Amino acid sequence: MKELKILAVVVFFTLVTYWGVEPYAHSQMHKHVEGHDFTYQDINASGVKGDPAKGKNLIAACAGCHGIKSQGMKAPMDAMGASAAYGVNPPDLSNAGAIFDEKFLIAFLQNPAHTAKAKPNFAMPPSAASAQDAADIVAYLKSIAPKEVSPKEAYVTACGRCHANSYGKWTQIGDIPKTKGNIKTGNDVALAQFKINVAKYQDKLADYMGKLPPDLKIIARARSKHYLETFVEDPQSHLPGTAMPRVGLTKEGFEKVYAYLESTGDPSKPLREKTGPIVLGFFLIFTLLAYGWYKSQWKGLK
Amino acid sequence: MAHFDPNARPFSKKWLNERLAVETLERVLSTEYWIPKNINFLWAMGMVLAATFGLLVISGIFLLMYYIPDTQKAFDSVNYTIMSQVGYGWLWRHIHGVAASVVFLIIYIHMFTGIYYGSYKKGREMIWISGMLLFVTFSGEAFAGYVLPWGQMSYWAGMVITNLFEGFSADFMGGALNFPGLVEWIRGDYVPGQAFIGRFFMLHVFLMPLVIIALIVLHFGALRIPHVNNQDGEEIDFEAEAEKWKAGHRKESKVIPFKPVFLSKDVFVLGIYFLFFFYLVFYHFEFAMDPVNFDPADGLKTPPHIYPEWYFLWSYEVLRAFSKNPGLVWFGFAQVIFFLLPFLDRSPNVAPASRRGPFKIWFWLLLIDMIGLTILGKLPPVGIFTPIGTTFAYIFIALWFALPFITKMEKPVGGK
Ligand code: HEM
């Protein structure tokens, strides 16, 4: 019994220390930002109903910059050309209707920089003349959106033009290609060429954004999920004045993006969850056997 | 002349005994290494420490196979290669990271056990001093290891800590104690860079572990003659008690042999410890692997909060509580003062603190003060935290100055 009392004292002081240096210290170091479940309360709903058929006719206004691969519309410029023109590659819109919030998009098409809380140099100009036009275009985008968007596709559409993810083999201009080097020299000219393009793109992007957006390869370990969620919902809430725009994801859209970030940043999670109980089970049996041995050795000693 | 039986079968017990004295060795080191019966699980912490060091070495060896000490590659070699490409590499890394943190928790428990029961005096001074040397080398080892993954905290903690070697400020005594050149000499560059990572890599995987192993041997050796203390600080006649045990009076004898009797309890405590440890490894490792260090090192971007790992926080807070020059002095004081404990405690009593009058208060104050310093060391130095931190630092210093006086006045407690 005395030993249990001693153990209680040790555990008590350990927990106080832990509480102080972890939960308490972190609550003092980082300001708390409340999440709003991607409801975008500062944006007023337009109240108009969109018509996808009308939207289809208006989409030419977008095709001057964006591709919609699922509808067989290629982007007018490749990533390199687009970055030379705008500083950043406009995303393909095939999945836009599935991951972005409807209310956000309608406001965004009329007034992109303001809605995205971006810098005035935001590369996309207002592209819908009225709320009605905007609602029609968004209705069209939603009508062509696939039922299922993979985590990677969500990431590419929402973040991929700015953020590389090297552990996911993603660069801002696309996946790192599988190339074959020259066997005699060991040189891989195609890969080297690709890397030059990435470098050029990144230079342009850094000029446009003021800095190079970080590689999100392991951001899932560097930031809590709560941080990422509230940061993506509104970057200004954590980094006032930052150049990263509010991208306008829905809650489900964010979960997709997060699943991708976790798959590159914390890929051992599934295996960890599977191995944990086995290892703990092993040590539980070990401890029980050790207890038996201890009791047998100490029998009649006191 | 030694006697060698020409007929002894090679590698038989007899053959080995003649050459290596294996049975004598086993007797001296385990079956007749006597431990007092009157001890609690806190006396298993040394074994827990040895086991944790074992875990660090084994997991470290696996990490070492893939880690690349290069400023351009270190981060990805750890966070990509080890964490996702090497089978179970993440497990080794989590074991290594959690063990590096938990080992300090156990070290502190082990130290405070020694302080509580007065296990540092009357023949046990060298155990205490070799233990403190282990504390210092483990601190160096952990600091060096923290540099290796080359994340933001690796870089900036490396920057801040090496800056300490600059010494006193340039306006003090005409700059006679100001050594900016020393900082660059240690780093091998103006800022932490390739030379820095190479040096700390060598220290972390070779020199420091070597010294630690040597010190563990010294620590164990220092235990052999005085034997371990017990819950009442009772002075035991180990020879006489051992005779009782050997004569079969197991109940009457105050001692037990290390193997198998004490070992059986050690192993049981280890089992419980491993349950706790692997729970942390699988489900609660963030405290040991700071998220900030998953941002790659960036010399142009100072993190908003730079803090050392939790086990350095109390002395870091002593440093922060003062302005530059006195801060350095008291920081140095905090680093060495524990070495002097056996000589600052002037009382001849070897007894649990609870029976030692004022020393009892001293013990609990020291513990609470150091936990307070630890917590404040992580909090940003703003508002109310600054004066509280300074107060705790003053209390820490005052406690050590008071120790010789309160122990001198201590009444002898009748030895049981
Ligand atoms: C002698 C055996 C050891 C070897 C071979 C070894 C090897 C390594 C290697 C290669 C790394 C870099 C990979 C990584 O960051 O995970 C590392 C990291 C580290 N080591 Fe060790 N190590 C040993 C013992 C220790 C000890 C005794 C401690 C502390 C008490 C320690 C503390 C650390 C820490 C704090 C890190 C950084 C961990 C992280 O951020 O993930 N190591 N070690």
Side-chain angles (χ1 to χ4, degrees):
Chain A
M1 276 323 89
K2 189 168 176 199
E3 301 217 25
L4 285 182
K5 267 195 218 148
I6 298 173
L7 182 63
V9 173
V10 172
V11 170
F12 171 75
F13 283 110
T14 305
L15 287 179
V16 169
T17 311
Y18 170 77
W19 169 83
V21 297
E22 283 292 309
Y24 183 65
H26 286 289
S27 76
Q28 294 300 307
M29 273 189 276
H30 316 293
K31 70 170 178 186
H32 182 73
V33 175
E34 204 60 62
H36 302 285
D37 279 329
F38 299 89
T39 47
Y40 306 108
Q41 278 148 1
D42 60 312
I43 302 173
N44 296 321
S46 63
V48 288
K49 252 190 86 60
D51 177 354
K54 287 206 190 109
K56 185 168 184 177
N57 298 326
L58 292 166
I59 203 72
C62 322
C65 301
H66 294 274
I68 310 181
K69 275 206 208 92
S70 67
Q71 307 304 308
M73 288 197 236
K74 267 189 58 173
M77 282 187 261
D78 66 358
M80 300 310 293
S83 93
Y86 310 115
V88 61
N89 186 20
D92 186 275
L93 298 179
S94 308
N95 302 318
I99 62 170
F100 293 120
D101 180 73
E102 182 174 350
K103 183 172 79 170
F104 176 91
L105 280 182
I106 294 176
F108 176 79
L109 297 185
Q110 300 171 78
N111 196 346
H114 177 77
T115 310
K117 298 193 179 183
K119 298 256 184 252
N121 70 343
F122 195 71
M124 171 160 152
S127 304
S130 66
Q132 186 61 56
D133 283 2
D136 292 342
I137 295 170
V138 172
Y140 171 70
L141 288 177
K142 286 184 88 77
S143 73
I144 61 164
K147 286 257 150 1
E148 260 310 310
V149 177
S150 74
K152 168 110 185 239
E153 287 164 344
Y155 179 81
V156 168
T157 305
C159 329
R161 63 185 183 276
C162 292
H163 293 284
N165 187 320
S166 52
Y167 296 172
K169 303 256 180 281
W170 173 260
T171 75
Q172 288 92 346
I173 64 171
D175 284 312
I176 297 171
K178 290 204 172 64
T179 52
K180 275 211 173 69
N182 181 315
I183 286 192
K184 291 196 196 93
T185 61
N187 295 328
D188 188 338
V189 176
L191 187 62
Q193 193 59 55
F194 181 79
K195 284 185 176 163
I196 290 175
N197 282 344
V198 173
K200 283 186 178 158
Y201 183 96
Q202 290 187 343
D203 285 357
K204 284 271 180 287
L205 181 61
D207 286 346
Y208 169 56
M209 290 263 104
K211 67 181 347 173
L212 182 64
D215 187 334
L216 298 184
K217 54 191 180 184
I218 197 161
I219 203 78
R221 290 291 295 261
R223 302 283 185 284
S224 67
K225 184 170 181 191
H226 179 77
Y227 180 96
L228 290 174
E229 188 167 337
T230 47
F231 181 72
V232 170
E233 187 177 16
D234 183 4
Q236 306 297 329
S237 67
H238 285 277
L239 302 177
T242 183
M244 170 158 152
R246 167 164 80 166
V247 295
L249 285 172
T250 58
K251 175 107 177 123
E252 300 75 54
F254 171 78
E255 292 296 337
K256 287 260 151 61
V257 168
Y258 185 75
Y260 179 69
L261 293 176
E262 202 169 47
S263 74
T264 67
D266 192 11
S268 69
K269 195 173 176 200
L271 192 54
R272 207 163 62 219
E273 280 165 1
K274 226 171 75 193
T275 328
I278 300 173
V279 173
L280 289 184
F282 171 83
F283 279 106
L284 188 63
I285 295 169
F286 176 96
T287 309
L288 291 176
L289 291 176
Y291 184 70
W293 186 37
Y294 160 52
K295 278 291 157 196
S296 74
Q297 285 293 338
W298 285 63
K299 209 162 64 206
L301 285 191
K302 283 203 176 163
Chain B
M1 245 310 273
H3 180 73
F4 296 101
D5 179 354
N7 299 321
R9 214 162 16 87
F11 304 107
S12 64
K13 260 248 153 86
K14 185 167 192 208
W15 189 88
L16 282 173
N17 275 335
E18 286 172 352
R19 285 159 180 79
L20 291 173
V22 282
E23 275 175 328
T24 315
L25 222 60
E26 193 191 14
R27 196 156 35 79
V28 172
L29 293 182
S30 67
T31 53
E32 292 188 16
Y33 172 41
W34 303 101
I35 310 277
K37 206 184 273 175
N38 179 25
I39 57 183
N40 58 47
F41 77 90
L42 291 172
W43 271 269
M45 290 304 126
M47 268 305 173
V48 170
L49 279 174
T52 312
F53 180 65
L55 281 173
L56 281 165
V57 173
I58 294 167
S59 56
I61 288 171
F62 280 96
L63 297 176
L64 187 52
M65 292 185 216
Y66 303 96
Y67 173 76
I68 305 173
D70 177 313
T71 53
Q72 299 301 313
K73 296 181 179 158
F75 187 87
D76 289 341
S77 77
V78 175
N79 289 312
Y80 182 65
T81 311
I82 293 177
M83 292 297 274
S84 68
Q85 302 301 294
V86 175
Y88 289 95
W90 56 270
L91 181 56
W92 296 119
R93 178 160 190 225
H94 281 196
I95 289 178
H96 202 75
V98 171
S101 196
V102 169
V103 86
F104 279 93
L105 171 66
I106 310 294
I107 286 179
Y108 283 125
I109 295 175
H110 191 59
M111 275 172 73
F112 274 92
T113 304
I115 301 176
Y116 186 83
Y117 291 103
S119 312
Y120 47 82
K121 49 187 172 176
K122 282 215 182 149
R124 299 198 177 90
E125 291 84 353
M126 281 311 295
I127 308 177
W128 180 260
I129 290 171
S130 58
M132 275 309 294
L133 287 171
L134 275 168
F135 176 75
V136 171
T137 40
F138 263 88
S139 303
E141 172 72 354
F143 175 68
Y146 203 59
V147 165
L148 301 183
W150 211 241
Q152 272 290 68
M153 270 306 178
S154 302
Y155 183 93
W156 288 98
M159 181 82 101
V160 170
I161 300 299
T162 45
N163 265 339
L164 293 179
F165 290 90
E166 190 190 52
F168 292 99
S169 57
D171 52 21
F172 182 70
M173 281 175 42
L177 293 173
N178 182 250
F179 317 106
L182 181 61
V183 178
E184 281 158 29
W185 183 74
I186 290 170
R187 291 179 187 156
D189 201 339
Y190 298 105
V191 291
Q194 185 54 44
F196 192 78
I197 209 171
R199 291 168 183 198
F200 280 89
F201 177 62
M202 181 286 287
L203 287 173
H204 185 71
V205 306
F206 181 68
L207 193 53
M208 299 296 264
L210 206 64
V211 174
I212 287 176
I213 290 167
L215 286 171
I216 291 177
V217 173
L218 174 65
H219 197 57
F220 284 15
L223 279 162
R224 196 68 182 77
I225 296 172
H227 287 88
V228 296
N229 196 5
N230 55 74
Q231 284 194 89
D232 292 310
E234 180 185 358
E235 254 181 74
I236 293 174
D237 181 345
F238 281 88
E239 265 98 64
E241 297 299 327
E243 286 315 316
K244 282 191 206 159
W245 177 274
K246 286 199 248 176
H249 306 300
R250 298 179 158 223
K251 195 165 178 170
E252 292 71 31
S253 175
K254 288 181 179 165
V255 299
I256 48 176
F258 175 76
K259 187 183 149 189
V261 184
F262 185 61
L263 192 62
S264 69
K265 186 168 180 178
D266 259 354
V267 171
F268 169 55
V269 176
L270 271 178
I272 295 189
Y273 168 71
F274 281 141
L275 274 172
F276 164 68
F277 179 82
F278 282 99
Y279 160 74
L280 295 178
V281 166
F282 284 99
Y283 303 105
H284 212 103
F285 44 80
E286 306 85 359
F287 79 97
M289 311 181 81
D290 199 299
V292 180
N293 224 21
F294 287 92
D295 276 330
D298 182 349
L300 298 175
K301 191 174 161 197
T302 320
H305 305 281
I306 303 179
Y307 44 81
E309 287 292 87
W310 71 269
Y311 35 86
F312 296 137
L313 287 169
W314 65 270
S315 55
Y316 181 65
E317 183 60 16
V318 172
L319 173 78
R320 276 204 316 190
F322 300 90
S323 59
K324 186 174 165 88
N325 295 345
L328 215 54
V329 171
W330 294 117
F331 179 67
F333 173 87
Q335 300 302 316
V336 299
I337 198 65
F338 277 90
F339 276 99
L340 301 182
L341 178 59
F343 312 103
L344 294 176
D345 181 343
R346 308 287 295 276
S347 150
N349 292 329
V350 175
S354 60
R355 297 183 202 148
R356 290 182 56 192
F359 183 80
K360 171 178 168 185
I361 300 168
W362 188 89
F363 173 86
W364 292 109
L365 275 182
L366 181 72
L367 178 66
I368 293 165
D369 186 65
M370 283 177 68
I371 290 177
L373 284 171
T374 299
I375 295 173
L376 287 153
K378 190 140 174 188
L379 293 171
V382 291
I384 185 83
F385 298 142
T386 313
I388 300 181
T390 314
T391 312
F392 274 72
Y394 277 119
I395 295 176
F396 178 81
I397 295 163
L399 280 171
W400 285 97
F401 277 100
L403 183 63
F405 301 102
I406 65 166
T407 47
K408 187 85 194 157
M409 292 179 333
E410 195 173 309
K411 293 189 195 68
V413 292
K416 259 206 341 176

